[in-house]
């Protein structure tokens, strides 16, 4: 219920912000400010987003816990989206989410609830290519290795029970 009230009231808060800022600095400077925050949000998202992706990559290569950088990455994406949405309240929240100490506070709050599990299913070679696990079994069949002429199991999911013929 509080979320529903917030979603209903929030647009009115943003409109009130437009009116207050528009009266204080004028219509054209207000529109210019809205466009500037959108451009700033896109630029910050690109710069800080690549930085977080690099730290995540480094953490994964070092078998370190990437949880903090994952939270930072999510918050940077949310901050960029909030800056792209027209409105001064969303801009303030978005700019605050770009500040690393504020992201660290959020990380400290959520740290106990986040677990990151990694499963490595490929072995890595130099050059970045991956190969199969050494114990993987490959079965290669050609048309002489099987036949559809035999009586099939009626309980098989591959049988069309209407005509009792294998499905293609």
């Amino acid at each position: 219920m509080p979320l529903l009230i917030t979603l209903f009231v929030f647009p009115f808060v943003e409109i009130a912000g437009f009116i207050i800022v528009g009266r204080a600095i004028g219509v054209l400077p207000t529109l210019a400010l809205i466009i500037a925050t959108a451009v700033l949000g896109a630029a910050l998202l690109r710069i800080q987003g690549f930085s977080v992706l690099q730290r995540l990559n480094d953490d994964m290569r070092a078998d370190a816990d990437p949880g903090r950088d994952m939270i930072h990455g999510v918050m940077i994406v949310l901050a960029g989206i909030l800056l792209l949405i027209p409105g001064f309240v969303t801009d303030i929240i978005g700019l605050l989410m770009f500040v690393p100490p504020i992201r660290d506070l959020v990380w400290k709050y959520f740290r106990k609830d986040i677990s990151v599990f990694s499963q490595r299913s490929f072995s890595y070679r130099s050059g970045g290519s991956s190969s199969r696990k050494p114990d993987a079994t490959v079965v290669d069949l050609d048309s002489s290795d099987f036949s559809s002429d035999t009586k099939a199991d009626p309980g098989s999911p591959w049988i069309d029970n209407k005509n009792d013929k294998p499905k293609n």
Side-chain angles (χ1 to χ4, degrees), residues 41-58:
L44 285 173
L45 179 61
R46 182 170 187 220
I47 293 167
Q48 288 196 6
F50 282 129
S51 173
V52 168
L53 286 175
Q54 182 63 40
R55 287 194 309 266
L56 273 170
N57 191 21
D58 293 343

Side-chain angles (χ1 to χ4, degrees), residues 32-100:
L33 190 58
I34 292 168
I35 293 170
T37 58
V39 171
L40 177 68
L44 285 173
L45 179 61
R46 182 170 187 220
I47 293 167
Q48 288 196 6
F50 282 129
S51 173
V52 168
L53 286 175
Q54 182 63 40
R55 287 194 309 266
L56 273 170
N57 191 21
D58 293 343
D59 288 346
M60 294 301 288
R61 287 182 186 204
D63 285 333
D65 180 20
R68 177 183 175 271
D69 289 324
M70 289 174 74
I71 290 291
H72 280 236
V74 168
M75 290 184 67
I76 286 171
V77 168
L78 288 174
I81 291 169
L82 288 173
L83 283 172
L84 290 173
I85 295 172
F88 294 111
V89 176
T90 55
D91 290 346
I92 291 168
I93 294 169
L95 286 172
L96 288 174
M97 289 174 75
F98 273 115
V99 178

